[in-house]
Amino acid sequence: MKIALVGATGLVGSEMLKMLEVLHQRHPFTLIAAASERSIGKKISFLQQEISVMSVEKAIEQQPEFAVFSAGAAASEQYAPTFAANGTTVVDNSSAWRMHPDIPLIVPEINAGQLNRQHKIIANPNCSTIQMVIALHPLHQHYGI
């Protein structure tokens, strides 16, 4: 399995790399690091190995099963549909798809059951909303908010 990280050299991307290292312990995969033109060729560390950063277009050509976007709304709007059209499931951390009527807005602990294999772009709320919803969900289940 291959997972592309778009925005691998940014602040959010560097945190996402840490999460992907934990995931790799349970489910090994090949990481594809992608970023903006100015980061192409840079090296990032993943599992104590150096990986070269490639362009997003090259990452699309690699046909990963999943692409995690941590590169901002403009990059997501530009490239997520191309990944999706290529069969890649995109998980977007930007605001680009949050209010789109055809894109599911998912907090896995709450509504992951809404997803199916046809969903190729998945949005998530911002970090403060995720925490709030996780705290409110049990209250909603019990009392109906």
Side-chain angles (χ1 to χ4, degrees), residues 4 16 24 29 31 42 52 55 57 63 66-67 71-72 81 94 104 109-110 120 138 141 143:
M16 194 60 65
H24 191 276
F29 61 89
L31 177 70
K42 285 185 178 178
S52 291
S55 70
E57 292 85 0
Q63 297 185 309
F66 297 94
S94 79
E109 297 83 355
I110 307 299
K120 290 299 179 189
Q141 286 182 309
Y143 297 106

Side-chain angles (χ1 to χ4, degrees), residues 20 44 52 55 60 67 70 76 79 85-86 93-95 99 103 106 108 121 132 137 139 142:
L20 290 172
I44 61 164
S52 291
S55 70
I60 293 167
S70 296
S76 183
Y79 293 112
N86 211 19
N93 290 312
S94 79
S95 62
M99 300 305 289
I103 305 295
I106 300 295
I121 300 176
M132 179 181 61
H137 184 66
L139 295 172
H142 193 267

Side-chain angles (χ1 to χ4, degrees), residues 20-93:
L20 290 172
E21 285 187 344
V22 173
L23 175 65
H24 191 276
Q25 292 173 8
R26 292 185 187 174
H27 305 285
F29 61 89
T30 300
L31 177 70
I32 300 167
S36 65
E37 294 287 322
R38 68 179 180 273
S39 293
I40 295 172
K42 285 185 178 178
K43 305 285 187 193
I44 61 164
S45 179
F46 182 71
L47 299 171
Q48 300 176 335
Q49 297 178 334
E50 284 195 344
I51 297 175
S52 291
V53 175
M54 64 178 68
S55 70
V56 179
E57 292 85 0
K58 290 274 188 203
I60 293 167
E61 291 173 10
Q62 298 289 317
Q63 297 185 309
E65 285 79 7
F66 297 94
V68 178
F69 272 72
S70 296
S76 183
E77 289 169 350
Q78 182 177 357
Y79 293 112
T82 307
F83 271 103
N86 211 19
T88 300
T89 299
V90 174
V91 178
D92 182 47
N93 290 312

